[in-house]
Amino acid sequence: MARDTDIRLQQQVIYSVYVRSHTPEGTFAAIIPDLDRIKALGTDIIWFMPIHPIGEKGKKGSLGCPYANRDYRTVNPAYGTMEDFRRLAEEIHARGMKVMIDVVYNHTSPDAVLLSEHPEFYWRDAAGNTGNKIGDWADVIDLDYRVPALWDYQIESLKMWAEIVDGFRCDVASFVPVEFWKRARAEVAQVRPGCLWLAETVHRGFGIYARRLGFCSARDTEAFDAFDMEYEYDVREAFDEYLKGEGSLSRWLDLLCFQEAVYPENYNKLRFLENHDLPRIASFVRQERDLRNFTAMLYFLKGTTLIYAGQEFENDRCPSLFEREPIDRKTGRDLSALMAELARVKREVLGPDDDFTARGDDDLHIAVMERVNADGRKLGVFSLRSMSGNVAVDLPDGTYENVLGGSVAVKDGLLRCQGDPIILRG
C-alpha cells in the first residue's frame, strides 16, 4: 500500500459521473445544479469519467468512446470549455467535495495529438504497425512505456491537471508499469499534496491472460505500492457468478476474508455493485427489498464505496459509452435516503481500521459480516433474497438496536432475520 495513504478513505463515498449521460444537455455546466443532490447522498468525491476530446478515427457508435482519448491536455468541446470545467470543480470544492478525473494512460485514439507529435511513444507489432496488444479495443492504440520520454510527458500532464483536481482514477492501471505510477505519485504530490490515486486493476483471469502473452499486468499486491485504492476485480468474478446463480454466496464471502488476510494492513479496495463497465445491479436484483439489502451490504464492506450515477434511481440499464443516453430519474424508485443514511453509518459507526470477517448461509442467501476495532464490534446481516430465518451470531442474548431502524432479538445465540438489512453495534 502507498505509505502515505489516508486510512480515512475507508469511510468515504465516490460518485461516478459520465458527463455525456448525466443530464439531457451532457455538459459540465448542466451538472452544477445537481451538485447539492449528489452531496446529500453522502458523497465525498465526484469521479468524472474521461473528459478529454474523443478520437474520430475508428470511433465506436455515433459519438465515440471516452476511453479513446485524443488529447490529454484539454477537454471534450462537446462538454464545454476548460473554463467551464474549472468552474464545475470550484463548485464541487465549495460544497466540501473533491474532484477526481479519469486518466487513460495505457492507450490513445488512433488520431491522437500525441501520435502526430511523438510517434516514438507508441507500441508497435512485429510489422511496425501501431495497435493494441490485448482485447477487442479496435478504437485505440497502445503506448509504449519502455520509452523514458513518454513518462515525462504523461507526468507533466498529470501535474497540469493536479492544479485543478484532487485525484485520478487510472484506467487499466495494471497495464502501465507500477514504477511509472510510483514516480507520478511522488511528482504530483509536489503540486497537489494528498492527491488521491485509484487504480482500475483488472480481473484475475484477464491479468493472467496478459502475462501469459508476455505483457505487463501488475498484480494487485504490486499496484498497492503506488495507489490508495484499487478495484475489487480480484474477487469480482465470484460475485458475478453468485448474481447469475452460478456460484455460492459463501465462496465470494470467503474471498473477501482472503483479501483481509493477504493485503497490507491499510489496504483499500473500491467496493461497488455496478460501474460503467458492468451491468446495473438492478438488472440482476429486481425486488426492492433485496436491493436495499445489497446496498446496505455494499456500504458495510471494508473499503471506499462507489456509486455509479443512476444507481440511486435503480436504473437497470447502463448508458451506452458510445451514445448520449441520459440516466433515468423518473423510475418511481429512489434509494437516496437509504444511501445517505448508510454514508452516515459508514462515517460514524464503521471504523477505518476495522478487521473484517464474513460468512454466508447459502440456503437463506444471508450474508453475516463482522467488523471489529478498539471501539467495539459491528455486525451486518444482509438477506440478499429478503428471506426470513435464524442466523447464528456471537452475541449475548438480548434485544439490539438496528442502526438502520427498529430492533432485533438474539436468543440462544440465534438472531431472527426478518428480511430487512441489519447493522448492529455488538
Side-chain angles (χ1 to χ4, degrees):
M1 196 72 183
R3 290 173 182 259
D4 56 349
T5 291
D6 188 344
I7 197 170
R8 291 173 296 181
L9 281 170
Q10 295 274 356
Q11 297 172 292
Q12 297 195 354
V13 176
I14 298 176
Y15 186 87
S16 175
V17 170
Y18 186 16
V19 176
R20 176 188 287 170
S21 295
H22 194 74
T23 65
E25 298 86 352
T27 64
F28 296 134
I31 294 170
I32 293 174
D34 197 35
L35 292 179
D36 290 335
R37 183 193 67 83
I38 294 173
K39 171 70 173 178
L41 291 172
T43 301
D44 301 285
I45 303 160
I46 297 180
W47 152 33
F48 291 104
M49 290 166 56
I51 60 172
H52 306 298
I54 295 170
E56 288 291 329
K57 186 176 180 180
K59 73 178 182 182
K60 295 182 177 180
S62 64
L63 297 177
C65 178
Y67 290 91
N69 185 338
R70 189 163 51 83
D71 188 348
Y72 286 114
R73 297 185 176 181
T74 186
V75 298
N76 186 341
Y79 296 169
T81 65
M82 183 69 85
E83 285 308 307
D84 291 332
F85 181 70
R86 286 181 182 273
R87 180 173 174 242
L88 175 57
E90 289 168 358
E91 293 286 349
I92 292 169
H93 288 149
R95 289 163 173 80
M97 296 181 286
K98 293 185 176 181
V99 183
M100 178 180 289
I101 62 168
D102 223 312
V103 291
V104 187
Y105 270 21
N106 178 67
H107 50 258
T108 71
S109 70
D111 54 355
V113 169
L114 202 57
L115 180 61
S116 62
E117 294 180 349
H118 293 284
E120 72 277 14
F121 286 178
Y122 284 81
W123 175 84
R124 296 176 188 272
D125 63 18
N129 300 313
T130 59
N132 66 82
K133 301 184 287 289
I134 303 172
D136 62 349
W137 304 334
D139 57 342
V140 298
I141 54 176
D142 285 359
L143 293 162
D144 187 348
Y145 281 85
R146 293 172 299 181
V147 180
L150 173 61
W151 292 39
D152 298 334
Y153 182 93
Q154 297 291 58
I155 290 171
E156 284 303 313
S157 299
L158 289 167
K159 289 163 71 175
M160 184 203 88
W161 286 106
E163 297 281 357
I164 305 170
V165 305
D166 307 286
F168 301 101
R169 180 268 188 188
C170 303
D171 188 63
V172 285
S174 305
F175 290 175
V176 176
V178 172
E179 289 304 313
F180 166 82
W181 294 121
K182 289 169 69 174
R183 179 182 151 193
R185 182 187 182 99
E187 293 196 27
V188 168
Q190 298 171 20
V191 177
R192 176 73 64 171
C195 183
L196 305 174
W197 294 87
L198 166 61
E200 185 201 21
T201 43
V202 299
H203 288 78
R204 275 183 297 160
F206 196 21
I208 292 169
Y209 172 68
R211 289 191 290 273
R212 283 178 178 171
L213 293 178
F215 299 120
C216 170
S217 181
R219 294 165 176 83
D220 287 15
T221 50
E222 297 164 339
F224 266 139
D225 284 346
F227 289 92
D228 301 302
M229 302 166 278
E230 65 179 32
Y231 272 43
E232 60 167 8
Y233 278 161
D234 55 327
V235 301
R236 181 72 192 198
E237 288 155 327
F239 182 70
D240 288 343
E241 288 169 1
Y242 173 66
L243 288 178
K244 296 172 185 176
E246 299 170 356
S248 70
L249 174 62
S250 292
R251 177 170 177 262
W252 173 61
L253 295 175
D254 186 58
L255 286 172
L256 293 180
C257 295
F258 185 73
Q259 286 181 330
E260 184 78 0
V262 300
Y263 287 126
E265 184 178 3
N266 64 336
Y267 82 100
N268 188 344
K269 284 287 185 175
L270 185 71
R271 304 298 182 181
F272 46 82
L273 297 175
E274 60 185 54
N275 63 47
H276 67 270
D277 283 324
L278 298 174
R280 294 280 195 181
I281 188 64
S283 70
F284 293 107
V285 183
R286 296 292 186 177
Q287 300 300 317
E288 173 83 12
R289 201 181 192 193
D290 295 354
L291 198 52
R292 292 177 68 85
N293 274 279
F294 271 92
T295 302
M297 181 180 69
L298 169 66
Y299 283 76
F300 194 86
L301 292 172
K302 186 175 180 179
T304 303
T305 300
L306 173 68
I307 299 299
Y308 183 39
Q311 185 176 338
E312 65 269 46
F313 302 116
E314 300 180 37
N315 282 195
D316 59 8
R317 184 178 181 279
C318 269
S320 168
L321 284 178
F322 320 125
E323 309 293 346
R324 179 174 294 125
E325 294 180 356
I327 59 176
D328 184 0
R329 301 166 190 262
K330 298 180 179 180
T331 60
R333 300 177 297 277
D334 194 342
L335 294 171
S336 297
L338 175 63
M339 288 178 170
E341 177 62 12
L342 289 166
R344 183 194 66 79
V345 171
K346 190 175 185 71
R347 286 190 298 271
E348 299 178 6
V349 177
L350 305 178
D353 58 345
D354 286 341
D355 291 324
F356 176 92
T357 58
R359 56 186 170 83
D361 186 314
D362 290 326
D363 295 323
L364 295 174
H365 296 274
I366 294 176
V368 181
M369 301 178 176
E370 185 176 64
R371 297 180 57 152
V372 182
N373 68 2
D375 295 327
R377 302 169 61 199
K378 286 77 64 171
L379 185 75
V381 180
F382 308 105
S383 182
L384 303 182
R385 294 192 183 170
S386 302
M387 298 175 69
S388 299
N390 293 323
V391 292
V393 293
D394 183 19
L395 289 174
D397 286 1
T399 301
Y400 294 83
E401 176 191 4
N402 181 358
V403 300
L404 299 178
S407 60
V408 294
V410 175
K411 184 176 181 181
D412 298 328
L414 296 175
L415 181 149
R416 181 65 181 173
C417 173
Q418 300 288 0
D420 292 311
I422 298 168
I423 298 177
L424 307 178
R425 288 188 176 100

